[in-house]
Amino acid sequence: MRDIRLLTEMFIPGALVGPFTAANPGLGGVCTFVGEVRSDGDVEALELTHYEPLTLPGMHGLATQAFARFDLMGLLMVHRVGLMRPGEPIVCVSAAARHRRDCIDAVDFCMDHLKSAAWFWKRERRAGAWHWIEPRKDDHRDLARW
Amino acid sequence: MRDIRLLTEMFIPGALVGPFTAANPGLGGVCTFVGEVRSDGDVEALELTHYEPLTLPGMHGLATQAFARFDLMGLLMVHRVGLMRPGEPIVCVSAAARHRRDCIDAVDFCMDHLKSAAWFWKRERRAGAWHWIEPRKDDHRDLARW
Amino acid sequence: MGVRVVLLGKLADLAGGGELQLTGPLDWAGLVAGLPEALAQAADDPRNKVAVNGALLADKASLQASEGDEIALLPPVSGG
Amino acid sequence: MGVRVVLLGKLADLAGGGELQLTGPLDWAGLVAGLPEALAQAADDPRNKVAVNGALLADKASLQASEGDEIALLPPVSGG
């Protein structure tokens, strides 16, 4: 069961994860990561741009890799694009598996690759001015783990 | 924000994780693992016994280790005891942090230690007869990672 | 008053119940001598832990329990 | 009809907008020559990727775009 979405509007992770869990009967574990816009001091808003001909195929490709690598029953991968405020969810990845290790590792794997390899560009508005966010060194280090 | 509970009745993980997330404003990420009673062929029920003078202090000690080891804002650790049916949640661990790596690793760490180091004994009923579950070799291997 | 002996996991099955009453004071040898035979054999498994009044013992041989104490015999856990 | 050039991330700022129209056919040198100066300088950054009609190129130098094609200039991503 694979559910990959790009959303342009605010979403409630629990409203996706509950039905996702129910859609994978017989599972042993579900691991979920939700990333939110951090309220970092003076950040007023975050905007995520994407290049549509690459973004969704990229997310499906990543899901295919995760299914090949881990023993999964289901994978939910939801990403916001557009304008977001601090406290709003940006990304939700949830993996259902018979065993704990597969679902935790699959979420970890998808997040590392979404952060650094998916086609999103992020900028923050602080004091009324927009600033692009560069990839962090940590993200490359995280990717090298796999 | 630390929320450690032993529950004797069925619980809905989403009903705990939503308020937990809201109780940690400013977070960057929340990672949640939910373990359920797997419907393994002929398993009719699962019973979890614990030794009360050790169980809850053990879970609090594990939470203290997780807070010392990872940069966490909050940790939710909920474990069922008593009789459970396939499909019911047994355990829910949720960690909130400013950064993704801390919350994913904290959940992984807590689950590895809960499985092998916490004071729970598990037995399954199959075809009307109860069978004790021994710790798996995998659990010891998982613990050796930390 | 006696010494309460609490049996966890499969040790409870061997004892025919989760609890026994013995007469104190008890050291490890005295405890084992007071247990039903099947349980006495299983109790010596080095993977089993012993707690007195909720405090784990580093070494079973150091057991010293008096009247009113609670001893717990804890086989390897299988949680989560 | 022209060649549509889509600019992502900070490259859009340098171009003063997310899109340009150039006249095809275009190879990499022809594309760079047709870009505003600030963007032309940034475009050569080896971390930037190029896609034609949604397909990434392994090597920018292999770019061949005709009238009606869409070229995307993609700076390093910062998602999640």
Side-chain angles (χ1 to χ4, degrees), chain C residues 33-63:
Chain C
L35 297 176
E37 196 186 330
L39 183 58
Q41 285 179 16
D44 265 325
D45 184 326
R47 296 178 307 156
N48 294 337
K49 307 274 186 203
V50 181
V52 178
N53 299 329
L56 279 175
L57 301 184
D59 177 12
K60 278 183 279 212
S62 69
L63 174 70

Side-chain angles (χ1 to χ4, degrees), chain A residues 27-104:
Chain A
L27 62 83
V30 187
C31 184
T32 303
F33 176 82
V34 176
E36 294 190 355
V37 182
R38 248 196 314 274
S39 33
D40 260 338
D42 53 351
V43 174
E44 299 153 352
L46 184 78
E47 193 189 39
L48 222 64
T49 323
H50 71 132
Y51 181 54
E52 199 177 337
L54 290 176
T55 320
L56 208 52
M59 289 169 72
H60 275 285
L62 180 53
T64 300
Q65 284 183 60
F67 271 101
R69 186 158 185 152
F70 308 103
D71 189 6
L72 298 181
M73 299 174 69
L75 184 63
L76 171 75
M77 195 188 295
V78 175
H79 214 293
R80 270 294 308 277
V81 291
L83 195 76
M84 288 156 273
R85 307 262 163 203
E88 287 187 24
I90 309 175
V91 59
C92 173
V93 174
S94 195
R98 294 189 65 74
H99 297 287
R100 172 173 104 255
R101 177 101 348 263
D102 288 301
C103 64
I104 295 177

Side-chain angles (χ1 to χ4, degrees), chain C:
Chain C
M1 183 156 69
V3 177
R4 193 174 174 221
V5 182
V6 179
L7 305 156
L8 278 302
K10 62 168 67 166
L11 299 180
D13 293 353
L14 295 175
E19 215 177 304
L20 297 169
Q21 290 284 338
L22 296 179
T23 304
L26 283 176
D27 58 9
W28 180 251
L31 171 68
V32 172
L35 297 176
E37 196 186 330
L39 183 58
Q41 285 179 16
D44 265 325
D45 184 326
R47 296 178 307 156
N48 294 337
K49 307 274 186 203
V50 181
V52 178
N53 299 329
L56 279 175
L57 301 184
D59 177 12
K60 278 183 279 212
S62 69
L63 174 70
Q64 293 295 341
S66 311
E67 292 282 303
D69 284 348
E70 177 172 302
I71 299 175
L73 292 181
L74 312 152
V77 297
S78 57

Side-chain angles (χ1 to χ4, degrees), chain B residues 49-51 53-54 79 90-91 114-123 132-135, chain C residues 6 8-10 13 47 49 51 53-56 70-72 74-80:
Chain B
T49 323
H50 69 132
Y51 181 53
L54 289 176
H79 214 293
I90 308 174
V91 59
L114 262 181
K115 291 276 287 190
S116 306
W119 299 94
F120 296 109
W121 294 271
K122 214 166 22 177
R123 58 177 191 165
W132 290 101
I133 299 173
E134 301 287 337
Chain C
V6 179
L8 278 302
K10 62 168 67 166
D13 293 353
R47 296 178 307 156
K49 307 274 186 203
N53 299 329
L56 279 175
E70 177 172 302
I71 299 175
L74 312 152
V77 297
S78 57

Side-chain angles (χ1 to χ4, degrees), chain D:
Chain D
M1 183 157 65
V3 177
R4 192 175 175 223
V5 182
V6 179
L7 305 157
L8 278 301
K10 62 168 69 166
L11 298 180
D13 293 352
L14 295 175
E19 215 177 302
L20 296 169
Q21 289 285 338
L22 295 179
T23 305
L26 284 177
D27 58 10
W28 179 252
L31 170 68
V32 172
L35 298 176
E37 196 185 328
L39 183 58
Q41 286 179 16
D44 265 324
D45 185 325
R47 296 178 306 158
N48 294 336
K49 306 274 186 204
V50 181
V52 178
N53 299 329
L56 280 176
L57 300 185
D59 176 12
K60 278 183 279 211
S62 69
L63 174 70
Q64 293 294 340
S66 310
E67 292 283 302
D69 283 348
E70 177 173 301
I71 299 175
L73 293 180
L74 313 153
V77 296
S78 56

